[in-house]
Amino acid sequence: MTVSTHIAILGAGPGGYVAAIRAAQLGARVTVIEREKLGGVCLNWGCIPSKALLSVVELGDKLKKADELGLVLHGPAAYDLARMGVRKDKVVASLVKGIATLFKEWGIEQVIGQGTLKNERTLVVTKPDDSRLAIQADALVIATGSSWPNLPQFPIDGRQILTSQQMLALTQVPVSLVIIGGGVEGCEFAALYSGLGTQVTVVELQSRVLPLEDEDISSTMERELKKRGVTVLTGTTVESLERSSDAVTVRFKDGRAVSVEKLLVSVGRGFNSRGIGLEQAGVRIGPRGEIPVDDRMETNQPGIYAIGDVTGKAMLAHVASTQGQVAVENILGHRRAINYDVIPAGIFTLPEVGRVGLTERQARERAAARGQDSEQSVKVGRFRYGGLGKAQATGDTAGFFKVIAEAATDKILGVHILGAHAADLIHEAALAMQVGATVAQVAGMIHAHPTLAEGLMEAMEDVGGAAIHVIRKRAGG
């Protein structure tokens, strides 16, 4: 297609707005349809607001150690959730304004309203005043994301039974809270509200919290949550709910029960693929409600692309952003695909988690599937935060680094970090995997001292049993 190509994008979340800017950079005419706010769920009701609140709790955790660090405070620190919320909203508003400014600078047209596909090249937008606008384009990008599920057993009322969006809008700290689901969102909210002083109970159907993470991460996270006073119930689920005017009584299938002020439903998200006219445009929808796409992000209907959560791929904001760039670059004649094998991710608990690549179990299962001895073909290196001078100096000694490698090739298969700044530190490992660096090459790179990044170096060295700051018995000693 030529540079005069008109691209219409349905949705302005982290996938849609990034796609719009990239398309405009490449010379396309761009129209974005969004019924709510620029930035989507991640910016307005998810990633950013939760991190704004968590940053305050993280600071509060530091202040609790003030005496042992030699910092004299006149009385204990106290949280004001209402004021924290005001700051959170300012952070979000500033970022939303930043996107609007970028749209203006790049000449991107924004249309507010509910968009529906009329055919393979036309969107009809119903505006807030109920007027309608038809938009014809050379290519369409579906970036409608995902939303909180409506589960009959957990009837959301916005008062006692809440979504994460509603939890982030609270101005008073609840006395007690049950979180249904011990995945990423559930654990982040457990860290947040336990830090604020709420008595938190996390309920997870699987045998461990963070069930998709490496088992060492899961077990350590459960231990860290318990240190924060969180009650963790795994291998069970809710049998029934009973609501009164001031409490929700939750009865579990293992016979236990608890009465709490609030209940957070954190058990997955549904794809926003219904009611947007995909059938009229001939776009196929998958069995889970996802929109299947090829490696160019194109659907079965030529000229219609889909990106972000609605594709059913990795449901991460940064993946959506990359998919958005891939989609519009392909529309405009630039061949590009995504390497889904190297996707770094962060979990913003206290302490944080960073990970990229395979878990240890996945690596060993893949080796076994190839007929290899899974114990001999996979090597693992570890290093504790407590062994780092920087961690000792700052008091951030909880956590570890874990490297999983292929023995025969020294290839890095996965890296998992739990500890301070883990979500930032993981990117060195991701870059190494992206460019094909070996364990030895990362271990051999000079790392600055004193830094937390030295822990990754030591874990890489430990794959071969050569970590300097790990105590081992000498051979024959």
Side-chain angles (χ1 to χ4, degrees), residues 156-410:
I156 305 297
D157 61 15
R159 188 177 67 86
Q160 292 176 311
I161 304 178
L162 311 173
T163 65
S164 57
Q165 177 180 350
Q166 293 159 342
M167 285 294 300
L168 289 170
L170 294 180
T171 57
Q172 296 291 325
V173 177
V175 173
S176 52
L177 169 69
V178 163
I179 300 175
I180 308 298
V184 172
E185 182 182 84
C187 286
E188 288 186 355
F189 273 89
L192 171 60
Y193 276 92
S194 64
L196 293 173
T198 301
Q199 180 56 57
V200 178
T201 300
V202 174
V203 185
E204 171 54 48
L205 178 62
Q206 303 300 318
S207 60
R208 55 193 176 101
V209 297
L210 299 179
L212 300 181
E213 301 302 316
D214 188 88
E215 291 183 15
D216 286 342
I217 294 290
S218 294
S219 60
T220 306
M221 180 52 62
E222 181 170 338
R223 191 159 61 244
E224 290 297 320
L225 287 173
K226 289 178 177 178
K227 285 181 183 178
R228 302 185 69 83
V230 176
T231 300
V232 179
L233 305 179
T234 56
T236 189
T237 188
V238 174
E239 178 73 29
S240 65
L241 298 178
E242 296 175 14
R243 283 183 284 182
S244 64
S245 60
D246 58 356
V248 180
T249 299
V250 186
R251 300 189 186 280
F252 306 107
K253 288 195 173 179
D254 61 9
R256 284 178 283 190
V258 61
S259 291
V260 294
E261 184 179 340
K262 305 286 185 185
L263 185 145
L264 168 62
V265 181
S266 180
V267 287
R269 298 180 64 81
F271 304 114
N272 293 335
S273 59
R274 307 295 181 185
I276 58 172
L278 295 179
E279 299 85 354
Q280 296 173 190
V283 176
R284 184 167 64 88
I285 301 175
R288 298 176 295 140
E290 78 281 10
I291 303 176
V293 292
D294 61 18
D295 63 353
R296 302 172 61 246
M297 307 312 298
E298 193 169 24
T299 68
N300 66 294
Q301 183 64 255
I304 300 182
Y305 293 70
I307 62 174
D309 286 4
V310 77
T311 66
K313 305 289 186 182
M315 296 174 74
L316 298 164
H318 46 288
V319 172
S321 296
T322 303
Q323 289 175 329
Q325 295 182 61
V326 168
V328 298
E329 288 180 23
N330 279 294
I331 290 169
L332 296 169
H334 304 265
R335 178 69 185 181
R336 183 178 172 187
I338 298 177
N339 178 11
Y340 287 105
D341 292 333
V342 184
I343 299 177
I347 302 174
F348 298 91
T349 42
L350 300 170
E352 289 181 359
V353 174
R355 49 104 166 149
V356 63
L358 302 179
T359 66
E360 182 179 350
R361 178 187 290 271
Q362 288 170 335
R364 296 196 186 281
E365 287 176 347
R366 287 195 183 188
R370 293 193 297 264
Q372 300 172 336
D373 183 333
S374 63
E375 291 301 315
Q376 297 298 318
S377 60
V378 174
K379 289 187 175 182
V380 176
R382 296 179 175 86
F383 194 77
R384 298 180 302 105
Y385 264 66
L388 295 169
K390 176 68 177 290
Q392 290 284 351
T394 61
D396 296 314
T397 56
F400 64 90
F401 297 77
K402 180 175 181 178
V403 175
I404 300 146
E406 188 174 59
T409 63
D410 207 32

Side-chain angles (χ1 to χ4, degrees), residues 143-155:
T144 47
S146 62
S147 57
W148 293 269
N150 185 13
L151 304 174
Q153 63 270 44
F154 304 121

Side-chain angles (χ1 to χ4, degrees), residues 133-146:
L133 173 68
I135 298 172
Q136 290 188 317
D138 299 302
L140 306 179
V141 178
I142 310 302
T144 47
S146 62

